[in-house]
Amino acid sequence: MAKVVERPKLKWWEQLYLPALLSGMRVTLGHLIRNLSGKTKVTMQYPEEKWDEHLPEHYRGAPALVTDEQDRERCVACQLCEFICPPRAITIKPEEIPSDDKWAKVEKRPKAFDIDMIRCIYCGLCEEVCPEQAIFLRKDYAITGTSRAEMVHDKERLYEIGGKRDGLVNKWNELK
Amino acid sequence: MDWQIIIAAAIKVVVFVFLTTLPLVAMSVWAERRVSAAMQDRVGPNRVGPFGLLQAVADGIKFLLKEDFTPDHVRKGYFWLAPALTMVPALLTCAVLPFGSQLFGEKMVIADLDVGPLFVFAIASLTVYGIVLAGWSSNSKYPFLGGIRATSQMISYEISLGLSVVPLVMIYGELNLGNIVMQQAQNGWALLPLWGEGLSVKGFLLAIPLFISFIIFTVSMFAETNRLPFDLPECETELVAGYHTEYSSMKFALFFLGEYAAMIIGSGLAVTLFFGGWSLPFGWLTPESADAEVPLWVGAVHIGTFFAKVIAFILFFIVVRWTLPRFRYDQLMRLGWVFFFEIALFNVVLTALLLWGLA
């Protein structure tokens, strides 16, 4: 069934177009005046003003590795994060911890741990899957570089971003 | 003596056209972006220089450094000619605009022609060739459609533009823009007859057709300069970018500058015809006659007044652009041919009757 849409009958002053023009100008000029008198909340001036202190606790920024309170690297190179990473941004080369090492009973640690930040989609699955609470998504979001190689975060850089984190996971702790 | 005239004219050309109008073009691009941003609750360009004032310089450098790409399928000669043809006529019309009274005993107008408005219309109508050539020589469908639209639109609105000035010419009995301004300075602006001889029943009655003229003139000016309620030649939602789709780099910039230059000249003409050009309101600081000596500072004040009025008019252009949606093409043609053409004709008759009755 055809539906007939009735066109509104315009009054003669509405057909003049000029009243519509004036009411339109009232809207735009109102915005103009409110903006110029500083009453409108406008765009944040990004490099000077930053959002950082308003970032929520659950913000997912760059992933990073952390050490525990004894400065031991928490990562045991189980490679679960490497396997779950949807864009395959993580590459881990594990190595055995030599028997004379203080942490010899941990057995494994990463020799190299690379995260390609061009591939990373900040999904946080690595953090979820990690059994050792070794990888966390931090609040760094402005990851830039001038080359592809620069955009790959190696182990050193990851620990630099991550820093130290106190907390649970005392499974391998000598003090236990 | 001849040499003096030539040198004076050359100085006026350089100062008025190259050192004032072109920077004004750049500034109006900046103003357009800042005002539109403020109206849309944004910030706008504010990085280059104080308040982003040097944005135009950055844009210019960008345009110059970009690759000047000429597609393979275009007619090269016409393709190269078109941008110049839009820019040059717009600047040529500067010649007859009186932008001040006198400075050092020189009349502040480049060419003191006795056919001012006619000259402006004749030269300004040449800009349509630039757009048509651009649309046609690009040899691609969207520029072609844009070119067709521009042609019919500009030809249609030229009629009402020309007819809307006729009442003004009838009332002042002059085609010399300098003398028109002088009459307005002494006897009240066309739209503000509140001093001199204008402050009479005759003045008020004659302001009615002048007001109708002003509305027709302004709207036609928007159509002529392809500004927003009438920017169908380049409406990006339908035609990509209209007639300049195939252009890049400085050739595109020339179209852009030509459009803004036309806008400035249009504002200048509207100010000259309807708002008393360089004159201050209520006959303040008005010289006794066209040949009377004008002190240096008064001349400077007059020049400042002219540009203040032009800038106010440009701001009006900008506000209208960011307020009104685009017309449909048949609405545009109807407005031009059915309404404005008739109203302008009727207005001429009304003025004639008023002048006859009041004589």
Side-chain angles (χ1 to χ4, degrees):
Chain A
M1 202 180 83
K3 192 183 172 193
V4 179
V5 179
E6 293 249 341
R7 296 208 170 218
K9 258 251 179 306
L10 295 182
K11 306 272 174 9
W12 68 268
W13 69 84
E14 287 173 323
Q15 286 181 331
L16 263 183
Y17 193 72
L18 292 175
L21 193 155
L22 290 180
S23 60
M25 277 209 187
R26 211 183 61 214
V27 173
T28 46
L29 287 178
H31 276 270
L32 179 87
I33 290 162
R34 251 175 289 147
N35 187 306
L36 292 185
S37 57
K39 279 182 198 147
T40 325
K41 207 177 166 194
V42 290
T43 327
M44 184 174 280
Q45 299 293 302
Y46 169 62
E48 291 92 20
E49 291 176 61
K50 280 191 179 172
W51 206 44
D52 293 6
E53 61 270 28
H54 306 296
L55 286 180
E57 266 311 299
H58 51 268
Y59 187 82
R60 300 203 306 260
L65 295 174
V66 291
T67 50
D68 67 6
E69 50 271 38
Q70 277 97 33
D71 286 329
R72 181 185 70 83
E73 43 184 329
R74 280 184 168 183
C75 179
V76 294
C78 68
Q79 293 178 296
L80 277 178
C81 52
E82 183 176 354
F83 297 143
I84 202 162
C85 182
R88 301 188 179 180
I90 302 177
T91 321
I92 304 171
K93 270 202 197 110
E95 84 180 332
E96 201 176 323
I97 300 179
S99 52
D100 56 337
D101 195 280
K102 187 181 164 200
W103 300 106
K105 75 186 207 187
V106 180
E107 290 176 0
K108 241 171 131 197
R109 68 182 175 199
K111 188 176 168 198
F113 197 116
D114 292 335
I115 302 182
D116 188 346
M117 293 310 295
I118 298 175
R119 307 201 85 174
C120 178
I121 57 170
Y122 305 91
C123 63
L125 285 183
C126 45
E127 178 180 337
E128 261 181 59
V129 82
C130 184
E132 302 293 328
Q133 300 188 14
I135 187 163
F136 286 96
L137 263 64
R138 309 305 300 253
K139 288 183 181 175
D140 310 58
Y141 51 86
I143 312 292
T144 55
T146 49
S147 65
R148 276 166 192 277
E150 221 173 292
M151 290 297 285
V152 178
H153 286 177
D154 58 8
K155 203 169 102 174
E156 231 170 282
R157 177 102 182 82
L158 289 172
Y159 277 117
E160 189 191 314
I161 302 173
K164 192 171 177 175
R165 180 168 281 210
D166 298 338
L168 277 174
V169 194
N170 292 328
K171 217 163 164 187
W172 313 107
N173 201 328
E174 291 282 333
L175 301 173
K176 188 170 67 174
Chain B
M1 182 60 201
D2 286 348
W3 278 109
Q4 272 183 343
I5 292 171
I6 292 171
I7 290 171
I11 290 172
K12 281 187 272 190
V13 168
V14 169
V15 172
F16 178 50
V17 180
F18 294 108
L19 296 183
T20 314
T21 307
L22 287 181
L24 205 57
V25 168
M27 290 326 294
S28 54
V29 175
W30 172 82
E32 172 117 55
R33 294 175 66 180
R34 284 304 293 243
V35 171
S36 67
M39 282 163 68
Q40 297 169 350
D41 297 342
R42 295 183 286 117
V43 180
N46 63 347
R47 292 285 147 158
V48 197
F51 304 106
L53 274 167
L54 297 177
Q55 181 68 33
V57 180
D59 283 347
I61 292 170
K62 186 194 80 173
F63 276 129
L64 280 171
L65 293 179
K66 277 205 167 183
E67 184 189 2
D68 193 5
F69 184 75
T70 311
D72 242 358
H73 54 77
V74 302
R75 298 288 292 261
K76 296 261 161 32
Y78 299 116
F79 189 79
W80 279 68
L81 185 64
L85 265 185
T86 40
M87 182 72 183
V88 171
L91 288 182
L92 267 181
T93 45
C94 291
V96 291
L97 286 184
F99 54 92
S101 53
Q102 282 181 24
L103 215 59
F104 306 113
E106 271 289 329
K107 272 193 176 173
M108 282 295 109
V109 50
I110 295 168
D112 196 15
L113 288 187
D114 285 334
V115 289
L118 297 183
F119 176 84
V120 172
F121 293 145
I123 300 294
S125 61
L126 288 178
T127 40
V128 77
Y129 285 105
I131 293 175
V132 172
L133 275 183
W136 173 75
S137 68
S138 291
N139 196 9
S140 114
K141 58 190 168 192
Y142 295 122
F144 184 65
L145 286 171
I148 291 176
R149 284 182 174 190
T151 324
S152 48
Q153 175 182 329
M154 291 177 89
I155 289 173
S156 311
Y157 277 86
E158 236 153 53
I159 296 171
S160 41
L161 191 70
L163 278 176
S164 68
V165 178
V166 173
L168 197 99
V169 174
M170 285 162 75
I171 289 167
Y172 290 114
E174 270 288 353
L175 270 173
N176 184 316
L177 287 172
N179 293 347
I180 289 178
V181 172
M182 189 51 103
Q183 285 199 29
Q184 294 195 25
Q186 282 161 353
N187 300 322
W189 301 348
L191 294 179
L192 195 70
L194 292 180
W195 62 94
E197 283 174 28
L199 192 58
S200 60
V201 179
K202 188 187 173 192
F204 288 134
L205 278 178
L206 286 177
I208 298 168
L210 283 174
F211 183 69
I212 300 173
S213 278
F214 171 67
I215 289 182
I216 298 175
F217 182 88
T218 315
V219 177
S220 305
M221 190 57 86
F222 275 94
E224 282 289 297
T225 49
N226 297 326
R227 289 286 295 183
L228 193 82
F230 308 106
D231 76 334
L232 289 125
E234 49 188 307
C235 65
E236 62 277 355
T237 39
E238 301 162 28
L239 297 182
V240 188
Y243 56 87
H244 53 60
T245 306
E246 305 282 344
Y247 284 87
S248 57
S249 177
M250 207 56 206
K251 289 213 280 293
F252 165 73
L254 274 181
F255 278 118
F256 202 64
L257 295 180
E259 192 190 314
Y260 278 88
M263 184 175 120
I264 288 170
I265 303 306
S267 310
L269 194 62
V271 163
T272 307
L273 290 174
F274 295 99
F275 292 101
W278 44 258
S279 62
L280 286 159
F282 303 107
W284 294 329
L285 298 177
T286 301
E288 293 294 315
S289 69
D291 302 316
E293 194 77 9
V294 176
L296 188 61
W297 68 274
V298 175
V301 165
H302 285 157
I303 292 176
T305 314
F306 178 75
F307 283 108
K309 286 178 188 174
V310 168
I311 288 168
F313 215 82
I314 290 171
L315 285 177
F316 172 69
F317 260 84
I318 292 172
V319 170
V320 167
R321 170 170 178 179
W322 294 97
T323 302
L324 296 181
R326 188 178 292 129
F327 274 83
R328 215 167 54 212
Y329 200 69
D330 61 313
Q331 292 171 331
L332 172 89
M333 281 296 146
R334 209 169 91 111
L335 185 71
W337 285 103
V338 180
F339 294 112
F340 279 174
F341 181 47
E342 269 75 1
I343 293 174
L345 272 181
F346 163 77
N347 199 22
V348 173
V349 176
L350 176 73
T351 317
L353 286 176
L354 278 176
L355 283 173
W356 176 67
L358 293 167

